[in-house]
Amino acid sequence: QVQLVESGGGSVQAGGSLRLSCAVSSYTYNYKCVGWFRQVPGKEREAVAAIYTTSLSTFYAASVEGRFTISQDNAKNTVYLQMNSLTPEDTAMYYCAADRIIPVRPLVSYAYNYWGQGTQVTVSS
């Protein structure tokens, strides 16, 4: 059974940091790509970052480039999103997603077939 479980969300003041984790079911960890997305109520889900799990190539949305870092720990079957210099505009529900095919466009939601339930990030000013 496919399972992606996010954790690490919470409330932080502007300028602070959080690290999100996405634990991927071990027997399905031959996913080729894992991405992080976020969504605010009433708005479309937007891409944050993605990583090709074999080559470790990373991709970032312009809005988070230089502040967020995506990484993976194969031993723990976990992908992380380190978020620094957070602003209130980063407030959203954050989702991780995965797929077994390397997407041509890793920063679009339709490239992913498997999704977690999300973890809330709230940044106060």
Side-chain angles (χ1 to χ4, degrees), residues 13-125:
Q13 289 192 328
S17 299
L18 284 174
R19 188 178 77 161
L20 305 184
S21 300
C22 175
V24 183
S25 300
S26 59
Y27 80 96
T28 58
Y29 198 67
N30 55 343
Y31 283 157
K32 301 301 183 183
C33 187
V34 177
W36 283 97
F37 292 77
R38 65 187 182 186
Q39 189 169 22
V40 175
K43 294 188 176 181
E44 291 188 359
R45 189 169 296 187
E46 65 171 349
V48 176
I51 185 168
Y52 287 164
T53 59
T54 301
S55 68
L56 301 184
S57 296
T58 56
F59 308 86
Y60 296 94
S63 59
V64 306
E65 183 89 48
R67 300 188 298 123
F68 291 11
T69 302
I70 189 170
S71 63
Q72 68 178 39
D73 184 334
N74 286 339
K76 296 182 179 180
N77 292 342
T78 300
V79 172
Y80 302 100
L81 184 68
Q82 177 66 43
M83 307 186 296
N84 299 327
S85 302
L86 286 162
T87 73
E89 289 68 37
D90 295 315
T91 295
M93 182 71 78
Y94 282 71
Y95 300 89
C96 70
D99 205 86
R100 298 176 181 175
I101 299 173
I102 297 176
V104 174
R105 300 179 63 191
L107 294 180
V108 293
S109 60
Y110 60 74
Y112 298 88
N113 285 303
Y114 306 102
W115 291 82
Q117 294 301 306
T119 185
Q120 177 68 37
V121 172
T122 302
V123 184
S124 58
S125 58

